[in-house]
Amino acid sequence: MKIGVIGAGSISDGHFQSYYNNEQTEVFAVCDLNEARAKEKAAKYGASHVYTDYHELLANQEIEAVSICTWNNTHAEISIAALQAGKHVLVEKPLCKTVEEALAVEQAVQDSGKILQVGFVRRYAANTEILKRFIDNGDLGNIYYAKASCLRRLGNPGGWFSDKERSGGGPLIDLGVHIIDICWYLMGKPKVKSIRGNTYHQLGNRSNVENLDFYKAADYDPDKNTVEDMANALITFENGASIMVDVSFTLHAKEDKIAVNLYGEKGGAELEPSLEIITEKYNTMLNATPQTNYHTFNFEQGFQNEIDYFIDSVNGVKETRSPVADGVEMMKILCGIYESSEKGIEIQF
Ligand SMILES: NC(=O)c1ccc[n+]([C@@H]2O[C@H](COP(=O)([O-])OP(=O)(O)OC[C@H]3O[C@@H](n4cnc5c(N)ncnc54)[C@H](O)[C@@H]3O)[C@@H](O)[C@H]2O)c1
């Protein structure tokens, strides 16, 4: 199967390498606004076609499926064009910037009959798969609460990430999307009922900090920053369950931290920073540590499994684990948090 990758920046390597490793796929075409970047990736992964206009890539009849790894503000437009051109689509998270865009993408999926997989890569991580098996077999019972945190003290990557126009927001849409989604997925995708969120623009990008390195986008600009630096929210579902979440690009925190915890009637679990299953047996509390090479999210394993799953879905062997409908629900939640913060009220669904 011939593959085109649109957007040849940082995350595209996770896609290129996984297609390269998959025996059923050929990295065939690359497109980026930056021609030198596209050419470099094409040379590295053996792609024979290079484009700077994604419309031209989509017009190539030999290409069956595409990965979209561009800025968030282009995800909806490129996804719809790709589906209309008859391609299957793997689009990076977040699905897009707004609920309206998400619904338009969902309509295009229905009209085209093609597969669209949203890049919720943590659903494909080995530690998630292990935990899901315990949950599906009832070991946690009904999960009524989840708490997720992804706090960076100095981690605004700058560039398009800190330009609200292109990103749709800061740590909430960039990091929050992963940890809210993974809780929601493991809780059985309950229907959202209400959201109360807060966003803060208190510290900016802390580009003044000396003596500490942090990841910077290629086009880092210390003066340009229009996104929130911190967000938190309480998301409540129709079945009474709730998720509490907090995320930051910058914060006066002692250290960076990721934590994803789930609490059920029969047991609990920590997915991050390291997989643990907590239960009670014979009047004794029991913390069980699954023995695995992947106790935390592993980039290579997660992306390989995500892309193998996408190809199996295109071939009709499996059903995608992260369909467009889930991308739509996640956009409702993320936009609900931003709206709640702007209006200072709880949003009801
Ligand atoms: N799954 C994950 O864990 C993960 C991690 C990082 C980023 N991402 C997502 O991947 C996407 C890209 O992020 P990145 O870190 O690679 O950013 P990046 O800035 O490194 O790369 C983006 C590339 O897209 C190109 N581009 C933008 N608009 C384009 C267009 N219309 N046509 C062709 N090329 C275009 C840019 O020139 C750039 O080279 C974002 O949506 C981001 O949220 C996902």
Side-chain angles (χ1 to χ4, degrees):
M1 189 187 302
K2 292 185 169 60
I3 305 291
V5 176
I6 305 172
S10 318
I11 206 60
S12 70
D13 280 303
H15 292 246
F16 282 120
Q17 189 62 51
S18 305
Y19 287 122
Y20 187 82
N21 296 343
N22 186 308
E23 288 183 353
Q24 299 175 75
T25 54
E26 176 191 341
V27 178
F28 182 74
V30 184
C31 172
D32 200 290
L33 297 174
N34 182 323
E35 191 173 12
R37 209 172 284 162
K39 280 186 170 161
E40 187 196 317
K41 293 288 160 79
K44 186 171 174 191
Y45 297 100
S48 50
H49 292 64
V50 174
Y51 302 92
T52 52
D53 180 346
Y54 74 81
H55 295 99
E56 289 177 17
L57 181 147
L58 296 177
N60 188 320
Q61 297 295 321
E62 288 190 77
I63 298 169
E64 269 188 68
V66 296
S67 268
I68 300 172
C69 306
T70 53
W71 310 322
N72 300 345
N73 64 327
T74 62
H75 287 186
E77 166 196 321
I78 302 177
S79 295
I80 292 169
L83 292 162
Q84 288 174 348
K87 318 294 184 199
H88 300 284
V89 173
L90 170 54
V91 57
E92 262 303 342
K93 49 53 61 172
L95 174 57
C96 48
K97 276 174 55 181
T98 65
V99 177
E100 291 71 27
E101 281 181 346
L103 292 170
V105 176
E106 188 174 45
Q107 187 63 50
V109 173
Q110 279 163 16
D111 293 346
S112 69
K114 298 289 165 188
I115 302 285
L116 182 139
Q117 179 168 304
V118 186
F120 294 136
V121 67
R122 284 176 181 267
R123 294 189 184 194
Y124 300 87
N127 62 342
T128 303
E129 287 189 333
I130 294 170
L131 177 56
K132 184 81 164 55
R133 228 172 294 152
F134 280 77
I135 291 172
D136 289 348
N137 282 292
D139 286 51
L140 270 61
N142 176 39
I143 301 169
Y144 54 89
Y145 179 48
K147 194 166 193 294
S149 201
C150 186
L151 299 175
R152 289 184 190 163
R153 55 189 179 155
L154 181 64
N156 180 331
W160 72 267
F161 284 96
S162 57
D163 173 6
K164 195 163 190 268
E165 216 18 64
R166 285 183 286 170
S167 61
L172 177 62
I173 202 163
D174 185 47
L175 309 173
V177 63
H178 277 304
I179 58 171
I180 296 170
D181 175 69
I182 204 63
C183 291
W184 180 69
Y185 166 71
L186 289 170
M187 290 167 98
K189 305 194 221 172
K191 243 183 129 15
V192 61
K193 185 175 168 227
S194 64
I195 289 180
R196 183 67 180 94
N198 300 287
T199 59
Y200 297 92
H201 298 69
Q202 295 287 325
L203 308 186
N205 56 17
R206 302 191 80 186
S207 57
N208 59 301
V209 170
E210 298 174 359
N211 308 316
L212 266 184
D213 290 333
F214 62 99
Y215 172 80
K216 294 188 182 102
D219 56 347
Y220 186 78
D221 172 359
D223 301 322
K224 170 92 182 164
N225 182 46
T226 53
V227 298
E228 81 276 4
D229 45 53
M230 200 268 167
N232 63 30
L234 176 65
I235 306 156
T236 306
F237 299 96
E238 281 183 0
N239 65 359
S242 54
I243 299 176
M244 206 180 262
V245 62
D246 55 16
V247 287
S248 68
F249 271 170
T250 58
L251 193 69
H252 286 303
K254 185 171 160 241
E255 58 199 358
D256 290 354
K257 186 177 148 198
I258 182 160
V260 175
N261 301 325
L262 296 141
Y263 304 99
E265 288 167 340
K266 285 164 74 182
E270 295 193 4
L271 180 67
E272 296 293 347
S274 188
L275 185 60
E276 293 273 349
I277 292 170
I278 298 107
T279 188
E280 184 188 305
K281 270 206 154 116
Y282 317 119
N283 302 328
T284 298
M285 286 196 214
L286 203 63
N287 294 356
T289 309
Q291 301 301 293
T292 166
N293 294 331
Y294 302 114
H295 57 87
T296 186
F297 177 74
N298 176 282
F299 184 91
E300 285 79 20
Q301 181 277 325
F303 273 89
Q304 189 65 58
N305 198 26
E306 175 182 49
I307 270 151
D308 292 349
Y309 227 94
F310 174 54
I311 299 306
D312 282 349
S313 307
V314 168
N315 286 330
V317 179
K318 286 181 181 163
E319 222 170 275
T320 177
R321 192 180 281 172
S322 45
V324 67
D326 292 3
V328 174
E329 284 305 300
M330 208 39 56
M331 289 320 299
K332 284 185 192 164
I333 291 176
L334 295 170
C335 294
I337 295 172
Y338 282 124
E339 189 187 344
S340 167
S341 174
E342 269 161 35
K343 295 184 176 162
I345 55 164
E346 182 176 84
I347 304 297
Q348 305 284 341
F349 288 84

